[in-house]
Amino acid sequence: MTPLTAFNLCALALFCMGLYGVLARKNLIAMLIGVELMLNAASLNALAWGRYGLVDPAHAAVSGQILVLFIIGLAAAEAAIALAIILAVHRHRHSVDVDDLDTLEG
Amino acid sequence: MVLDTPTLTRLALAALAAPLCAFAIAGLALRSRPRAAAALVIASGALTALATLAILALADAPIQQVWTWLRVGDTDLGFGVLLDPRSRLMGAVVGVITLLVQIYSTGYMAHDPGRTRFFALLALFEWAMLGFAYAPDLLQAFIFWELVGLASFFLIGFWYDRPEAIAAAKKAFIMTRVGDVAMLIGLVLLFALAGTLDIRESLDRLHSLLQGHGITSLQVEVAAALLFVGVVGKSAQFPLHTWLPDAMAGPTPVSALLHSATMVAAGVFLFARFEELFLLAPLTRSAALLLTAFTALLAALLASVQVDIKRVWAWSSISQLGTMLAGLAAGGLSSGLFHLTTHAAFKALLFLSAGALIHHYGTQDLRALGRAGARRDRLTMLGLLVGAAALAGIPGFAGFASKEAVLTAVHDVPGRAAATGFALLVIGAGFTAYYVGRVAFLLLRPTAAEPHEPTPPDAHGHPPTTAMSASILTLTLITLALAFAGPLVASLLGQPLPELALAHAVPGIAAVALGLAVAVFDFGRKSSAPPLFERVPALHGLLLRGFYVDAIYQRVFVGAARLCARALHFAETRLLDPAADGLARLTLAMGEGTARGQSGQLQRYIGVAALLLACVALWLGFAE
């Protein structure tokens, strides 16, 4: 097993955990944590590919890291917005259970 | 004495403004005060009559004053007044006749709940007609021409709760519209040829263009022919004549106005206004001469069998209008306009006295009127007989001089068309004398009622009021005086009336004498022999139904329109509606179907999305 494969498998495991969290947990904050895990999986993949190939060797070392920096910034912003939305939902409905939020039912 | 130009212009504007203001005030502010409305309208009518008479008598050279209200490219759209001999004569006829009809209407319409509206509309009618007569501009002429049609539509349909009045109003409006479309095209063509909207200038330019070969004579012929179609519609000439007898459904004063000075006279005046154009179009002139002479004969025949007194006068109007137009088409400007003037007076007189009889005895049936004692209304009968004598063309009366002038003008034109027209007109004059005699004898010497005739309705009528009698008397005097007005009209228009040579006059006088003799023979004796036309039942039926012209129009045009409407109705209810409904139902069903998949559960959406993404990823992976 090459190091790249090992990192990829690790990222896959992280992503699946995150997806499971998003799909299975009923608490909005837990779902948000799942989303963060999925983002981290993507970051890990980016770093691994940046370090071990697939990208132009001349910029290989930094391009993956730059991408990850952007992802971290994005994740911070996303977390802030998502938490604000969750707070607003809680104020209105006194609940953060995702099953209660079904007013768009057709 | 001759007034200066500014004064005359101001007088003309006052004559135009007075009825318009009266119409607006009476129609808007005086709805609940009929007496005040009538007084206001009559005051405006008197002002207009005085102004138009002053313009007629106290003007010299032609005056044209135009104010531009819009400039389009190089063309000025103007509004103004043109006071030349023709429009001065026409304006005075309109002013005087309208005033007398308005005064008469105070009696005739005294018991009608809608009389405010009636007087307001009379003022509108007068304004429209005067605006047309004084129009110096093609566009202005067309606008007022249409306003005349609109006002007569309102007045014919004045009793809007009577279906036949509504039908007659619609018929008048639609049939004249047929002519108006052609006329509009003709006006546009005239404008395109001459490049100006000014009527007199466009006629001058047309003349010089034609001489300099700038335009072909065919173009002029087409423009003239199109204008003539407009005249045919407005003046109720064959084949657009059937609306006028139906227009009797309006109140009698309206008929008097419509048949004499306004509406139908507008067509004749249009012809006179564009006389120079028609002189440049000999082909159209010949066709017009033949067609109008034919109409004159046809309508005189139809008038000979009517039992409704108003319908007799209606057909006689068509016949007389044909005579006028034939005179104009023959180039006899002063003959045609002189006949227009005399006809305006005696036809208004005939209608007003017929209206007085109808008002008194509550029926329009000639025989019933005679039996009810129409001859005892001395003054009314005097007016009616003077008018009838003028209409018949008995020497010494107004109609004789003007009709002979027309006949001579037609006779003086060389060619076979004019000769045929002359013959038609002479025969028409004979039948005119016949039906006039018939009316006179049926009223004066009533016959015993036949069993199948309808009995007259119980007379709730009123004898003519002072106002009505005064109007009738005035018109009687005017009619008598107009017999001697020929030379005046001729010198006003600057074209002498044709010399009344004995050879030309003999056929006309003989025809009149013959017609009267037959009328005396048919109706003047105590005899049970049926009159002329009733001896041939087939012909009598044909005449009573107006040669089936109306029935044919009903079948062909109304039928075709109905067929179209039915086809469109089918297309809409059976094709378009179901298609639209089906589309709506389809959209609804699709919406309902997809709505079922919307659970509102966020995690289910995410799961589906993830699954789909995974599938896409797998597919892409295996595709490589």
Side-chain angles (χ1 to χ4, degrees), chain A residues 22 25-26 98-99 101 105-106, chain B residues 595 598-601 603 606-607:
Chain A
V22 170
R25 299 301 297 268
K26 296 299 173 192
V98 75
D99 281 348
L101 307 177
E105 186 183 358
Chain B
Q598 302 287 321
S599 63
Q601 297 292 330
Q603 287 173 322
I606 298 173

Side-chain angles (χ1 to χ4, degrees), chain B residues 517-535:
Chain B
V518 176
V520 172
F521 182 76
D522 273 356
F523 302 100
R525 306 176 305 151
K526 283 209 170 64
S527 125
S528 57
L532 185 61
F533 288 106
E534 287 176 34
R535 281 181 207 168

Side-chain angles (χ1 to χ4, degrees), chain B residues 423-437:
Chain B
L424 290 171
L425 285 175
V426 168
I427 303 171
F431 281 110
T432 305
Y434 172 73
Y435 71 69
V436 166

Side-chain angles (χ1 to χ4, degrees), chain B residues 425-467:
Chain B
L425 285 175
V426 168
I427 303 171
F431 281 110
T432 305
Y434 172 73
Y435 71 69
V436 166
R438 172 173 174 268
V439 170
F441 281 120
L442 281 178
L443 289 179
L444 289 176
R445 296 179 56 110
T447 50
E450 288 167 35
H452 64 271
E453 279 174 24
T455 47
D458 192 24
H460 292 297
H462 311 269
T465 62
T466 320

Side-chain angles (χ1 to χ4, degrees), chain B residues 471-507:
Chain B
S471 285
I472 292 173
L473 191 63
T474 315
L475 269 171
T476 310
L477 296 176
I478 291 177
T479 303
L480 287 172
L482 276 178
F484 309 100
L488 279 176
V489 172
S491 72
L492 173 73
L493 294 168
Q495 185 202 48
L497 288 174
E499 283 291 323
L500 197 61
L502 194 62
H504 305 162
V506 163

Side-chain angles (χ1 to χ4, degrees), chain B residues 269-584:
Chain B
F269 184 71
L270 183 82
F271 201 110
R273 172 52 80 209
F274 289 98
E275 180 80 10
E276 289 88 345
L277 171 67
F278 288 105
L279 287 178
L280 296 177
L283 223 60
T284 307
R285 264 176 65 203
S286 302
L289 178 61
L290 272 178
L291 187 74
T292 51
F294 169 70
T295 309
L297 173 58
L298 178 84
L301 275 173
L302 294 175
S304 306
V305 295
Q306 303 296 329
V307 290
D308 181 328
I309 186 166
K310 283 177 77 179
R311 287 188 92 85
V312 177
W313 296 153
W315 284 112
S316 118
S317 291
I318 297 177
S319 167
Q320 295 300 308
L321 289 162
T323 311
M324 289 169 214
L325 285 167
L328 289 172
L333 181 65
S334 48
S335 319
L337 282 183
F338 181 38
H339 196 49
L340 171 73
T341 312
T342 56
H343 175 260
F346 69 69
K347 189 48 67 67
L349 173 60
L350 286 172
F351 267 110
L352 293 188
S353 32
L357 295 180
I358 294 165
H359 193 62
H360 196 167
Y361 298 107
T363 173
Q364 303 191 5
D365 189 307
L366 272 172
R367 300 159 300 183
L369 277 175
R371 258 175 249 127
R375 65 187 176 283
R376 284 193 296 273
D377 288 11
R378 291 277 160 80
L379 185 71
T380 309
M381 280 312 289
L382 174 73
L384 195 122
L385 288 177
V386 169
L391 172 60
I394 294 172
F397 287 93
F400 172 75
S402 55
K403 195 186 66 202
E404 283 307 323
V406 168
L407 282 176
T408 315
V410 175
H411 190 272
D412 287 349
V413 178
R416 210 177 298 158
T420 316
F422 181 73
L424 290 171
L425 285 175
V426 168
I427 303 171
F431 281 110
T432 305
Y434 172 73
Y435 71 69
V436 166
R438 172 173 174 268
V439 170
F441 281 120
L442 281 178
L443 289 179
L444 289 176
R445 296 179 56 110
T447 50
E450 288 167 35
H452 64 271
E453 279 174 24
T455 47
D458 192 24
H460 292 297
H462 311 269
T465 62
T466 320
M468 290 162 77
S469 300
S471 285
I472 292 173
L473 191 63
T474 315
L475 269 171
T476 310
L477 296 176
I478 291 177
T479 303
L480 287 172
L482 276 178
F484 309 100
L488 279 176
V489 172
S491 72
L492 173 73
L493 294 168
Q495 185 202 48
L497 288 174
E499 283 291 323
L500 197 61
L502 194 62
H504 305 162
V506 163
I509 295 172
V512 170
L514 189 65
L516 281 176
V518 176
V520 172
F521 182 76
D522 273 356
F523 302 100
R525 306 176 305 151
K526 283 209 170 64
S527 125
S528 57
L532 185 61
F533 288 106
E534 287 176 34
R535 281 181 207 168
V536 193
L539 181 63
H540 190 241
L542 203 61
L543 290 176
L544 271 182
R545 286 168 191 79
F547 288 109
Y548 292 98
V549 174
D550 241 348
I552 292 168
Y553 287 169
Q554 188 74 21
R555 277 283 164 76
V556 177
F557 296 110
V558 179
R562 288 238 170 93
L563 209 64
C564 270
R566 213 171 295 148
L568 289 175
H569 181 253
F570 177 83
E572 182 168 343
T573 53
R574 296 291 157 79
L575 303 175
L576 282 178
D577 278 0
D581 285 355
L583 204 63

Side-chain angles (χ1 to χ4, degrees), chain B residues 1-3 7-8 11-16 44-60 83-100 126 130 134 341 474 478 482 485 488-489 492:
Chain B
M1 186 179 84
V2 170
L3 294 174
T7 318
L8 282 167
L11 269 177
L13 287 179
L16 278 172
S44 83
L47 182 67
T48 305
L50 283 177
T52 51
L53 278 175
I55 290 168
L56 173 67
L58 306 177
D60 192 10
L83 304 177
D84 69 345
R86 283 170 239 182
S87 63
R88 277 156 54 201
L89 179 64
M90 190 71 221
V93 170
V94 173
V96 172
I97 302 284
T98 310
L99 175 65
L100 291 171
E126 181 178 27
L130 211 55
Y134 284 162
T341 312
T474 315
I478 291 177
L482 276 178
L488 279 176
V489 172
L492 173 73

